[in-house]
Amino acid sequence: MKIVLAALLSFLCVTGFAQSNGPKRKLIWFDEFNYTGLPDQRKWDYETGFARNKEPQYYTRERLENARVADGKLIIQAIKESYKGANYTSASLITLGKKHFRYGRVEVRAKVTKGIGAWPAIWMLGVNRQEVKWPFCGEIDILEYVGKDSTQVYGTTHYTDKDDVYHYQTEKPVVGKPWEDYHVYTINWDKKKIEFYYDDKCYFTYDLSKADHEDYNPFRRKFYLLLNMALGREGTLGGRLDDRILPLTYEVDYVRVYK
């Protein structure tokens, strides 16, 4: 079924007739995960090592134990194991250098995992992050889910104002039990705003003008996409990890980007 759907999506992308819950949109990039093995190297690269926030997991590259495609979905798994000086491994897939986006609709159907210290995410960073550093590159968190707040999902923007002062704006609606099933996490992004959705519910609208500088706004530039399964620690949003919950499995059914 997913093979047929992927073929249909390819046709819609070429013809420009794709639609998603509203006006006609052109599908410009997608992964339906209708294959088996490692994630498609034409679409995905990896972060490796200890990436940020002094998180305890080591992100691995091209390792089936941590990131694989099977049964029509991407499976990202965090494992308790000794690996290159770390006690935990996981994966962070990125489109940096593969595909970059500015404006449009980013839609991901995913199933988060329950547990104290679980921290799966769907998010975006400015492609100039290495050049200007964070938070000047901007960050769009389409989804952050943390096990300590298990009935909520987070949508957040990180940015600097015209005086180069760091800010973030976030909303975290109570949605019930998101780990029990797949849900669609979406942003609609244009020159003026970013709308955040949980399934069909728009719960947060961010005004891009808040990040205006004299001649620069990160949210009017290109971003890349990240899918990762982080683990929390004391003092971070993810919270202290209870490693008795490991392994943790984060599943993604599809990623679709529309213009």
Side-chain angles (χ1 to χ4, degrees):
M1 180 63 183
K2 292 202 72 174
I3 294 175
V4 174
L5 179 57
L8 176 60
L9 287 170
S10 295
F11 170 77
L12 293 174
C13 181
V14 171
T15 58
F17 289 112
Q19 298 189 43
S20 179
N21 297 332
K24 185 182 295 183
R25 298 181 175 90
K26 183 178 181 181
L27 183 66
I28 60 170
W29 190 88
F30 64 92
D31 198 337
E32 297 293 317
F33 304 112
N34 60 333
Y35 50 93
T36 300
L38 290 170
D40 188 342
Q41 64 179 355
R42 298 169 299 176
K43 298 181 177 182
W44 302 102
D45 199 359
Y46 299 80
E47 291 187 300
T48 57
F50 299 103
R52 63 187 63 82
N53 300 326
K54 297 183 179 179
E55 295 161 9
Q57 78 283 341
Y58 188 102
Y59 286 134
T60 67
R61 173 181 293 274
E62 296 182 345
R63 190 168 183 255
L64 290 170
E65 292 91 336
N66 298 118
R68 62 188 180 276
V69 178
D71 300 322
K73 58 183 176 286
L74 169 67
I75 301 167
I76 300 177
Q77 194 161 50
I79 303 170
K80 180 176 173 57
E81 61 177 332
S82 179
Y83 185 88
K84 295 189 176 182
N87 294 318
Y88 311 92
T89 61
S90 188
S92 178
L93 301 185
I94 61 175
T95 67
L96 182 63
K98 306 286 186 176
K99 187 67 176 179
H100 305 150
F101 310 99
R102 183 176 66 169
Y103 309 139
R105 178 183 178 92
V106 181
E107 183 179 294
V108 182
R109 186 172 186 262
K111 183 179 180 182
V112 298
T113 182
K114 185 181 180 183
I116 302 299
W119 194 358
I122 304 161
W123 55 305
M124 305 180 80
L125 286 169
V127 298
N128 61 348
R129 181 173 69 92
Q130 292 299 323
E131 174 189 348
V132 303
K133 307 305 180 184
W134 185 94
F136 300 97
C137 64
E139 177 179 331
I140 304 169
D141 297 326
I142 302 170
L143 161 72
E144 282 185 285
Y145 170 83
V146 292
K148 66 179 183 179
D149 295 331
S150 64
T151 64
Q152 298 174 298
V153 295
Y154 289 66
T156 309
T157 54
H158 299 261
Y159 59 99
T160 58
D161 64 18
K162 58 183 174 58
D163 298 315
D164 290 338
V165 176
Y166 165 67
H167 295 273
Y168 72 93
Q169 187 171 346
T170 188
E171 295 290 342
K172 47 181 182 178
V174 175
V175 295
K177 299 179 180 180
W179 69 86
E180 286 190 336
D181 205 349
Y182 287 88
H183 296 279
V184 180
Y185 302 93
T186 303
I187 58 167
N188 285 332
W189 174 22
D190 61 34
K191 295 179 180 180
K192 295 183 178 181
K193 64 185 182 304
I194 306 172
E195 298 172 334
F196 292 74
Y197 288 80
Y198 175 82
D199 291 329
D200 294 327
K201 177 184 179 180
C202 180
Y203 65 88
F204 173 32
T205 300
Y206 171 73
D207 177 0
L208 266 61
S209 68
K210 293 182 177 181
D212 275 342
H213 295 60
E214 184 175 345
D215 58 357
Y216 174 77
N217 185 314
F219 299 113
R220 296 192 177 100
R221 297 187 175 220
K222 290 185 177 181
F223 278 61
Y224 64 97
L225 183 65
L226 303 92
L227 304 175
N228 71 298
M229 177 71 207
L231 298 174
R233 68 171 181 84
E234 190 70 34
T236 66
L237 177 63
R240 178 182 293 176
L241 172 67
D242 179 354
D243 62 14
R244 293 174 298 179
I245 65 176
L246 296 168
L248 290 172
T249 301
Y250 173 33
E251 300 177 1
V252 180
D253 182 42
Y254 63 72
V255 180
R256 299 171 187 168
V257 182
Y258 299 85
K259 196 67 174 176

